[in-house]
Amino acid sequence: MSRVAIVGATGAVGQTFRQVLEERQFPATEYVLLASERSAGKAVDWVGGQHTVKPLTADSFADVQFAFFSAGGSVSREYAPLAARTGALVIDNSSAFRMAPEVPLVVPEINADAARQHQGIIANPNCSTIIMTMPLWPLHRHNPVRRVVVSTYQAASGAGARALEELESQTRDVLAGQPAVPSVFHVPCAFNVFSHNTAIGEDGYNVEEKKMILETHKIVGDGSIAISPTCMRVPVARAHTESLAIEFSSAIEESAAREWLGAAPGVTVVDDRAQNRFPTPLDASDRDDVLVGRIRRDPSVPENRGLSLICSGDQLRKGAALNAVQIAELFI
Ligand code: A2P
């Protein structure tokens, strides 16, 4: 039994942490809900009682065994090492420590063993990366992946609770004949599709795209996989969708791929050609599994070594809170 802290408890991922921990009956004796001064004192009804949100301070982690961080990179950089020194196992949802060699970057279905090497902090990967690697891994195990061309259709809530509010209020404004005024995003998000809101480097790739490359290599433990990502936002509330064109080392049969994906934990195949029913973000929302479908041969790859598919996953659940809680469960 343990004392558990959630840093960023009032945010989009923080709220999902609360849901997931309750659903999975995480064996906590006490929860400490932490956020900024803005939310301090706020009452939250949850797991059988009322909890008061506390401001995050250096003293927040006394006797805490597990600390889930989801309040941004700068908060993690300042407080996660401190929590770890106090004795907590930190599971950090920010990008602050993901590429640090001494910090495991873990998707439990893929590299649970890496978690055991932790030195107090385990990093939770980027949401788009988790959602891509869930179907990629069971295929890669059978037939090593050489190259992936991935395009994302990412939900607004991936940019936080305020971004979701912006999508909702802008949609109402536009439908009422008012202009869509961007604030969280750099362009209007209602009725629009736009390049991911992270900064673009000199090479033309944005930060999200770079994460998909580097983090996939670290999780899968294979830096030789060539990855060509394009990350986009779409006016969807929740759950990211991704299109993957995958080149394998040797010929691959659709039927075998369907079988491997169907047997993979955390993956559900939704692939009904007759009814034109395939993964959608609405179906993936509030679900734990990553949905996979449109599984088909890619005729542009020679020797029958190519396969295309789409996947949809709840980026607040498997892409963030659920994956982090699954990591913690490896230690109870
Ligand atoms: P608050 O609600 O008090 O601003 P999201 O990703 O949905 O925007 O949520 C971010 C989360 O991180 C919120 O819970 C937010 O708390 C919290 N947060 C942001 N800045 C800090 C900070 N400096 N210290 C502690 N928590 C923070």
Side-chain angles (χ1 to χ4, degrees):
M1 298 292 266
S2 41
R3 195 158 190 254
V4 174
I6 306 175
V7 181
T10 51
V13 176
Q15 288 171 31
T16 312
F17 263 121
R18 288 191 258 129
Q19 274 171 9
V20 170
L21 288 162
E22 184 171 15
E23 280 167 17
R24 297 174 77 88
Q25 300 184 333
F26 195 83
T29 41
E30 188 191 343
Y31 281 107
V32 187
L33 302 188
L34 301 162
S36 77
E37 286 287 356
R38 291 181 290 275
S39 309
K42 198 174 156 185
V44 172
D45 271 326
W46 178 52
V47 280
Q50 207 172 63
H51 301 252
T52 306
V53 177
K54 299 194 176 81
L56 174 63
T57 71
D59 302 322
S60 297
F61 300 99
D63 300 322
V64 165
Q65 274 87 52
F66 292 102
F68 296 106
F69 272 70
S70 195
S74 55
V75 171
S76 290
R77 269 186 287 276
E78 185 173 350
Y79 290 95
L82 203 148
R85 275 199 300 277
T86 312
L89 173 56
V90 172
I91 300 163
D92 182 32
N93 198 48
S94 82
S95 59
F97 304 102
R98 286 182 191 150
M99 295 314 296
E102 73 282 7
V103 175
L105 183 66
V106 176
V107 179
E109 290 87 346
I110 302 175
N111 64 339
D113 285 351
R116 314 261 168 226
Q117 319 293 320
H118 78 82
Q119 296 174 21
I121 301 177
I122 298 175
N124 202 50
N126 162 266
C127 49
S128 304
T129 308
I130 296 178
I131 291 163
M132 174 175 74
T133 53
M134 285 296 286
L136 206 59
W137 174 249
L139 301 173
H140 179 73
R141 280 178 56 213
H142 287 95
N143 190 339
V145 171
R146 280 195 191 167
R147 179 169 186 251
V148 189
V149 179
V150 54
S151 304
T152 70
Y153 309 74
Q154 296 183 225
S157 57
R162 283 184 53 236
L164 178 59
E165 282 161 26
E166 177 158 304
L167 171 63
E168 289 169 350
S169 64
Q170 261 182 20
T171 304
R172 279 193 294 272
D173 288 347
V174 172
L175 290 174
Q178 303 296 316
V181 183
S183 149
V184 177
F185 291 118
H186 54 297
V187 290
C189 59
F191 303 100
N192 205 3
V193 173
F194 56 98
S195 184
H196 196 272
N197 44 296
T198 46
I200 303 207
E202 279 186 9
D203 57 3
Y205 284 84
N206 61 44
V207 170
E208 185 85 348
E209 290 161 352
K210 286 179 185 149
K211 287 176 185 172
M212 290 192 80
I213 300 171
L214 297 173
E215 295 185 21
T216 299
H217 289 163
K218 183 167 174 177
I219 296 161
V220 173
D222 184 348
S224 73
I225 301 175
I227 303 172
S228 175
T230 302
C231 290
M232 305 289 291
R233 289 257 184 228
V234 291
V236 159
R238 184 164 174 151
H240 293 346
T241 302
E242 304 183 11
S243 143
L244 275 60
I246 313 166
E247 182 181 334
F248 294 89
S249 301
S250 54
I252 183 157
E253 290 302 326
E254 260 179 45
S255 54
R258 223 174 251 115
E259 198 177 304
W260 299 333
L261 289 166
V267 172
T268 295
V269 175
V270 180
D271 203 34
D272 184 346
R273 292 177 181 176
Q275 302 296 322
N276 203 350
R277 290 303 301 247
F278 299 109
T280 65
L282 282 182
D283 287 339
S285 291
D286 288 311
R287 283 186 63 160
D288 286 348
D289 278 11
V290 174
L291 310 182
V292 184
R294 297 293 324 272
I295 302 162
R296 63 206 191 277
R297 180 180 295 182
D298 179 352
S300 71
V301 181
E303 299 150 4
N304 195 19
R305 290 185 295 99
L307 202 73
S308 291
L309 54 82
I310 65 165
C311 56
S312 247
D314 187 323
Q315 91 288 352
L316 296 171
R317 278 188 174 253
K318 186 56 190 168
L322 170 65
N323 195 73
V325 172
Q326 287 175 313
I327 293 172
E329 286 171 348
L330 298 171
F331 295 90
I332 50 176

